[in-house]
Amino acid sequence: MIEIETSGAVQRIRLNRPDKKNALTGEMYAALAEALEQPADGVRAHLLCGVPGAFTAGNDIGDFLAMAEGGMQGTPVVRFLHGLSRCETPIVAAVDGLAIGIGTTLLFHCDMVFASPRSLFRTPFLDLGLVPEAGASLLAPRTMGHARAFELLCLGEPFDAARAQAAGFVNHIVPEDELETRALAAASAIAAKPAEAMRMSRGLLWGDRTELRSRMDEEIRLFSERLASGEAKAAFTAFMDRSRKSR
């Protein structure tokens, strides 16, 4: 469900679970974390992509609830989130279609994001009685300003590709049939730059990530607490009921 291939100095990481719109399981999170932590020799850039019409629909709810039953700490989700915050290799994303929940928040860790016109970004955390994750409560306001970040993270308002670009977390809007080609070209251009100079320059742009990691850990703690709350349990029950009825 996570396919990894190398194209020159670019490691392409593909979410490939099209029948579930790339909803992420614990196994997929573990594979993503490993790809970030232990890239193949010679890799100088990562390219994250999905399948036509779906970058990711977010978490596989059933799998996620089972995985997080004893708390979030130690789960593949947390391993992946920490991997994002520690990754020293540039990350490019190619988004086509749905980018829900983590599918949106992980983009704030990317150095460049390409999106198709039909892409849709949404973070329905509060609708499920939860809080934002992946450091988004820190990174989104820095990128978008408080007002737009509030709409995205607290109201759960959907952002189309044009609005995401205006908000600053999408670089380029590209037709679906050109999306991965353009994103791969950008990742290849990044990988072709002097490696140490790129590492240092990217580090300067990101700055000290201590605050980001602290915020991530605070989000994880609150997220775990919220999972056990009455609000979240009621929201998840209603969500699962709707999902069963729609089958």
Side-chain angles (χ1 to χ4, degrees):
M1 292 183 283
I2 300 295
E3 296 178 351
I4 298 173
E5 61 178 331
T6 303
S7 177
V10 177
Q11 177 171 261
R12 188 179 336 216
I13 306 168
R14 184 184 303 283
L15 285 61
N16 191 12
R17 195 189 180 201
D19 57 317
K20 297 294 184 179
K21 298 180 181 178
N22 283 346
L24 293 169
T25 64
E27 181 182 352
M28 293 170 75
Y29 273 114
L32 288 168
E34 185 170 350
L36 294 179
E37 293 166 355
Q38 300 178 26
D41 290 342
V43 166
R44 293 186 177 183
H46 298 297
L47 173 60
L48 293 175
C49 52
V51 297
F55 183 60
T56 173
N59 291 316
D60 181 299
I61 295 297
D63 185 88
F64 176 79
L65 290 176
M67 177 173 48
E69 188 173 351
M72 291 292 294
Q73 292 292 349
T75 65
V77 177
V78 171
R79 180 185 170 192
F80 171 65
L81 296 180
H82 286 164
L84 281 174
S85 72
R86 295 187 175 98
C87 185
E88 294 189 353
T89 303
I91 304 173
V92 177
V95 179
D96 180 30
L98 294 176
I100 308 301
I102 187 66
T104 290
T105 55
L106 73 81
L107 300 177
F108 292 104
H109 297 266
C110 294
D111 301 285
M112 292 189 73
V113 177
F114 291 76
S116 71
R118 65 183 176 184
S119 295
L120 182 70
F121 306 88
R122 186 165 179 262
T123 63
F125 301 118
L126 266 73
D127 292 341
L128 293 172
L130 303 174
V131 297
E133 36 80 299
S137 64
L138 179 69
L139 297 178
R142 286 182 177 177
T143 301
M144 309 166 64
H146 173 85
R148 284 189 290 197
F150 186 89
E151 283 189 79
L152 179 71
L153 297 175
C154 295
L155 282 183
E157 287 292 309
F159 278 55
D160 62 15
R163 193 165 187 219
Q165 185 181 42
F169 65 92
V170 164
N171 294 81
H172 301 287
I173 301 173
V174 180
E176 293 94 47
D177 59 351
E178 299 176 20
L179 179 65
E180 282 197 33
T181 300
R182 288 277 301 277
L184 178 60
S188 298
I190 291 168
K193 299 291 184 184
E196 191 64 8
M198 176 60 74
R199 185 189 68 78
M200 290 179 177
S201 298
R202 183 176 184 265
L204 287 168
L205 290 177
W206 276 106
D208 186 351
R209 295 201 186 188
T210 303
E211 183 182 10
L212 171 59
R213 290 165 188 152
S214 176
R215 179 64 61 87
M216 270 191 169
D217 288 339
E218 183 181 6
E219 289 173 347
I220 290 165
R221 178 182 63 80
L222 292 172
F223 200 100
S224 296
E225 290 179 5
R226 295 304 304 162
L227 279 172
S229 71
E231 278 186 338
K233 288 178 180 178
F236 276 108
T237 298
F239 178 87
M240 299 295 279
D241 285 345
R242 288 195 301 271
S243 296
R244 281 191 291 266
K245 289 175 182 177
S246 66
R247 289 173 189 167

